[in-house]
Amino acid sequence: MRLSRYFMPILKENPKEAEIVSHRLMLRAGMIRQQSQGIYSWLPLGKRVLDKVNGIIRQEQNRAGAIELSMPTLQSAELWQESGRYDDYGKEMLRIKDRQERPMLYGPTNEEMITDIFRSSVKSYKNLPLNLYHIQLKFRDEIRPRFGTMRSREFVMKDAYSFDLTKEGAEHSYRKMFTAYLRTFSRLGLRAIPMRADTGPIGGDLSHEFIILAETGESEVFSHRNFVNFDIPAETTDFDDVAALQAIFDQWTSVYAATSEMHDAAAFDAIPENERLSARGIEVGHIFYFGTKYSEPMGAKVQGPDGKEHLVHMGSYGIGPTRLVPAIIEASHDENGIIWPASVAPFDAVIINMKAGDAACDAACETIYAALSKAGIDTLYDDTDDRAGTKFATADLIGVPTQIIAGPRAVAAGEVELKDRKTGVRETMTIEAAINKLTAAK
């Protein structure tokens, strides 16, 4: 992508409305634009990151056996009245009416709709277990939206829903998602701690929030420091292996970790003082097992192996991609801008032409750009006529992992400079060697 033809509205000054680092940097880098309170457009640079986050979430959901579908954003109030949640949910639910005066709502979550889909389609235990998910816009009318897309009213949610014949089967499905979440957040460059959590309006009696530690976190969290030493489940994890997933779950729940709502001060105080961790945290995922809370009032049953009808046991599993993007920035930035993990960076590399219009610099940059593009390396080429200092500042701000710097003096010697955005390490090498190094890494 040539920067001269790209839409990336960089802000030179820090926006006054931005209270935290991620909000400030996302606005400055031209990733998002606020349309109204708590509602944002995702501009091209931001959408590239969001799409990569969603891609990793999809891969890990699919690996765990979940199946993707797509459900509407607008839902009939009848389903929520049937489950008993329509009047209980609160003012966060946006209630509307269509032209026939039928009550509708902009979905804050999809337990009712997925239960309706299940009960109309699945009749036998032979079709279980089943886990269905989608990645979709949702709306919750937050009383105080803040921190940009960290706490917005309209947001993207990955929500999955599991169906099992028995409680034991449902708990295994819960552990599948527990394991998938550990892998997902690790691939996004985050160390997430699963913590016992309140089930809230979703319901049920088993729930974990996945929390990353950050000074700007909305809630206080308490845990044992041992979490930093636990191994992330491998890509080869067998999600059908009940014992293996139980062992993963047991390890990650073997030491104390809880949000403030579930905090047990006595249990926390029993931990040796040097092993206690009390900090602020950002919730990036939440999983629930709620048994027959929805299947019972909505009649979601299947015929069991005994020939009788059984209510299915359910769970739901949420990840907020539009919250994850700022969470990654909170965890990975410096005074110059964002430092993206390679897995979600909007581009793999950026070519900085320090003297656009110079024949030798232009030719060298075009050679590198063509070679990297052919090798499948997603490359941004800064071919603008901005000053070198402005180009360096832009490259640092948007956080692309590798910078390829082509200046007249270096190019005359047949060389360019590679800079690692995270470490700041610079390395001078021939143009051919630079191309070979980057393509070999791909």
Side-chain angles (χ1 to χ4, degrees), residues 51-122:
D51 286 347
K52 289 192 175 184
V53 168
N54 287 339
I56 289 173
I57 292 171
R58 277 194 175 92
Q59 289 171 8
E60 294 302 329
Q61 289 294 289
N62 295 345
R63 192 191 308 278
I67 304 166
E68 187 172 9
L69 78 170
S70 180
M71 290 179 276
T73 54
L74 291 180
Q75 303 184 29
S76 168
E78 291 181 1
L79 290 175
W80 287 68
Q81 290 165 345
E82 191 176 348
S83 73
R85 280 207 302 173
Y86 185 69
D87 295 323
D88 295 340
Y89 201 88
K91 293 184 178 180
E92 288 77 22
M93 181 189 288
L94 181 62
R95 295 166 168 83
I96 55 180
K97 290 185 178 181
D98 64 15
R99 65 172 62 197
Q100 279 81 36
E101 293 297 308
R102 290 174 297 206
M104 307 284 288
L105 58 99
Y106 194 138
T109 183
N110 279 68
E111 281 81 7
E112 284 79 2
M113 183 170 287
I114 198 70
T115 303
D116 181 57
I117 291 172
F118 177 88
R119 70 182 176 183
S120 66
S121 307
V122 180

Side-chain angles (χ1 to χ4, degrees), residues 12-284:
K12 294 182 179 180
E13 303 296 329
N14 287 326
K16 294 180 180 179
E17 69 270 26
E19 300 177 67
I20 60 174
V21 169
S22 59
H23 190 193
R24 181 174 74 245
L25 291 177
M26 289 177 76
L27 288 170
R28 284 200 56 213
M31 293 179 63
I32 57 172
R33 185 181 189 279
Q34 182 170 328
Q35 302 302 145
S36 61
Q37 188 183 36
I39 299 177
Y40 290 83
S41 289
W42 284 76
L43 305 184
L45 192 77
K47 188 175 185 301
R48 291 178 76 94
V49 176
L50 185 61
D51 286 347
K52 289 192 175 184
V53 168
N54 287 339
I56 289 173
I57 292 171
R58 277 194 175 92
Q59 289 171 8
E60 294 302 329
Q61 289 294 289
N62 295 345
R63 192 191 308 278
I67 304 166
E68 187 172 9
L69 78 170
S70 180
M71 290 179 276
T73 54
L74 291 180
Q75 303 184 29
S76 168
E78 291 181 1
L79 290 175
W80 287 68
Q81 290 165 345
E82 191 176 348
S83 73
R85 280 207 302 173
Y86 185 69
D87 295 323
D88 295 340
Y89 201 88
K91 293 184 178 180
E92 288 77 22
M93 181 189 288
L94 181 62
R95 295 166 168 83
I96 55 180
K97 290 185 178 181
D98 64 15
R99 65 172 62 197
Q100 279 81 36
E101 293 297 308
R102 290 174 297 206
M104 307 284 288
L105 58 99
Y106 194 138
T109 183
N110 279 68
E111 281 81 7
E112 284 79 2
M113 183 170 287
I114 198 70
T115 303
D116 181 57
I117 291 172
F118 177 88
R119 70 182 176 183
S120 66
S121 307
V122 180
K123 305 299 181 184
S124 171
Y125 76 97
K126 295 179 181 179
N127 300 117
L128 301 180
L130 181 65
N131 190 323
L132 302 172
Y133 79 97
H134 69 160
I135 300 175
Q136 177 211 51
L137 278 172
K138 299 193 184 301
F139 188 91
R140 294 176 189 171
D141 199 1
E142 296 280 357
I143 190 170
R144 192 188 175 196
R146 57 195 306 222
F147 302 154
T149 66
M150 185 77 77
R151 190 175 182 86
S152 55
R153 295 195 296 163
E154 185 183 67
F155 55 95
V156 175
M157 176 67 71
K158 185 288 301 181
D159 40 325
Y161 304 91
S162 62
F163 302 86
D164 287 270
L165 181 65
T166 65
K167 179 180 180 181
E168 292 73 22
E171 289 175 343
H172 178 57
S173 292
Y174 185 93
R175 291 190 290 271
K176 285 183 180 181
M177 289 292 101
F178 185 97
T179 302
Y181 276 35
L182 293 174
R183 284 192 44 77
T184 298
F185 298 128
S186 178
R187 289 185 60 191
L188 295 173
L190 299 171
R191 187 72 175 188
I193 301 174
M195 299 190 174
R196 291 187 302 114
D198 183 24
T199 58
I202 301 297
D205 56 7
L206 176 60
S207 177
H208 284 86
E209 287 182 8
F210 288 77
I211 303 287
I212 64 165
L213 304 181
E215 293 181 1
T216 51
E218 296 173 294
S219 57
E220 191 173 9
V221 296
F222 306 86
S223 76
H224 197 290
R225 290 187 181 275
N226 275 2
F227 278 104
V228 299
N229 301 317
F230 292 161
D231 293 331
I232 299 299
E235 183 177 338
T236 55
T237 298
D238 182 355
F239 283 87
D240 291 324
D241 188 332
V242 175
L245 292 200
Q246 182 70 60
I248 292 170
F249 182 80
D250 288 346
Q251 181 188 37
W252 282 85
T253 58
S254 63
V255 293
Y256 186 85
T259 59
S260 55
E261 295 88 350
M262 302 292 285
H263 182 47
D264 182 339
F268 186 66
D269 291 342
I271 301 171
E273 188 172 356
N274 65 334
E275 296 177 4
R276 296 179 206 155
L277 181 60
S278 175
R280 308 294 298 180
I282 299 171
E283 178 195 340
V284 290

